[in-house]
Amino acid sequence: MRVEGLALALRLRSPFEACDLGAALVRAHAASLWRCFAPLYLAVVVLALCLVEVHGWLPVLVVFWLKPWLDRSLLFVLARAVFGESTRWLDLWRERRQVLGGSLLRTLLWRRFSPWRTYTQPVEQLEGQRGAERRARVRLLLSGQRGAATALQTAFAQAEGVLCYGLVALIWWFAPENRSSEISDWLFRNSGTSDGLLSLDLVLALSYMAVVLFLEPFFVAAGFAMYLNRRVALEAWDIEQEFRRAF
């Protein structure tokens, strides 16, 4: 990575302060992130919703399972953002083979449930490490950081759940007075049926999809910022950056 080209002022941070840096990256480059992520994500959402009549839980499962693949597009944008570059959908499309096609099976199979996947994802996608070199690199990055990386993923999983059920609760909060029981009967009666287009299954799926659309860029950015922070600690990027600026 070209340290001299970084648009960030690097210094050693605590893991959770690094997560704040990730949130700042999202705010600064929100247009690039959602401009590239939203079209890809909406295509997955449409595909997932087509399966609602097969089983009510399938749309949520499809989106949940494909999130690591979708995260690759976000990491691509964030990697350019740290150099101050904006990203258009066309930029992502030009690199689609590397960004979206690389390590597809590994991403969706045995690494799907890694408790620190967003923290270690740059090792393969950005550094290009494979095999034994990748495993050694991941061990080095995780040394002393497993707890923080796991806590990051756990916190965002909890936030997903809270926001998802909060959106569902809006149906009752905005219901006309004395009509809450009727809404409950309507939703639960249609739950799991093929003719209830606004059944509980579909409402839950749509709320989950809306939360992922909003929250996933922050999740990936937090893991990426923790990764950058770890490299600052390992390779003294902050000192190198200061020397390059001074001379």
Side-chain angles (χ1 to χ4, degrees):
M1 188 176 284
R2 296 175 290 109
V3 178
E4 68 277 10
L6 289 172
L8 300 177
L10 294 175
R11 62 177 176 82
L12 190 60
R13 295 171 165 87
S14 69
F16 300 108
E17 190 182 1
C19 292
D20 290 337
L21 175 63
L25 266 176
V26 173
R27 292 193 301 269
H29 298 274
S32 291
L33 283 164
W34 274 283
R35 183 166 55 209
C36 295
F37 178 63
L40 191 66
Y41 179 68
L42 291 177
V44 170
V45 165
V46 170
L47 173 65
L49 289 176
C50 291
L51 303 174
V52 71
E53 293 189 0
V54 179
H55 285 293
W57 45 266
L58 270 179
V60 171
L61 178 63
V62 168
V63 172
F64 169 78
W65 204 274
L66 291 179
K67 278 202 302 180
W69 177 70
L70 294 165
D71 291 350
R72 294 180 66 87
S73 64
L74 292 169
L75 185 57
F76 172 75
V77 177
L78 289 166
R80 292 166 57 93
V82 296
F83 295 102
E85 301 177 18
S86 62
T87 306
R88 302 169 300 164
W89 168 254
L90 186 59
D91 298 321
L92 176 62
W93 184 250
R94 287 192 186 116
E95 303 293 334
R96 63 188 182 279
R97 181 169 298 180
Q98 178 183 356
V99 176
L100 302 177
S103 308
L104 183 60
L105 289 178
R106 291 190 292 271
T107 298
L108 297 180
L109 294 179
W110 57 89
R111 291 182 193 156
R112 174 61 189 85
F113 294 104
S114 169
W116 40 72
R117 63 178 175 82
T118 189
Y119 174 59
T120 58
Q121 183 181 350
V123 174
E124 184 164 326
Q125 184 174 340
L126 301 182
E127 296 184 25
Q129 304 279 9
R130 296 289 189 275
E133 292 181 353
R134 180 193 178 278
R135 290 191 292 272
R137 182 67 168 167
V138 167
R139 282 196 299 270
L140 179 61
L141 290 175
L142 286 173
S143 177
Q145 302 295 313
R146 292 175 187 268
T150 304
L152 169 67
Q153 190 144 318
T154 303
F156 273 91
Q158 297 296 323
E160 270 188 4
V162 169
L163 291 175
C164 181
Y165 285 105
L167 285 179
V168 175
L170 289 177
I171 297 175
W172 283 270
W173 292 344
F174 286 97
E177 191 174 358
N178 302 323
R179 302 293 294 274
S180 297
S181 60
E182 295 180 18
I183 290 176
S184 298
D185 292 340
W186 171 60
L187 283 174
F188 285 99
R189 184 174 60 249
N190 289 330
S191 178
T193 63
S194 60
D195 57 343
L197 296 179
L198 292 178
S199 66
L200 183 61
D201 293 326
L202 190 56
V203 168
L204 286 172
L206 290 173
S207 65
Y208 176 74
M209 291 168 179
V211 168
V212 170
L213 177 62
F214 165 73
L215 201 60
E216 199 67 10
F218 290 95
F219 173 53
V220 177
F224 180 51
M226 285 181 61
Y227 161 82
L228 290 177
N229 190 58
R230 181 60 173 156
R231 291 198 64 173
V232 168
L234 292 173
E235 301 166 28
W237 278 4
D238 51 339
I239 299 174
E240 181 179 352
Q241 193 178 48
E242 288 303 319
F243 270 107
R244 288 181 181 276
R245 287 175 177 170
F247 301 103

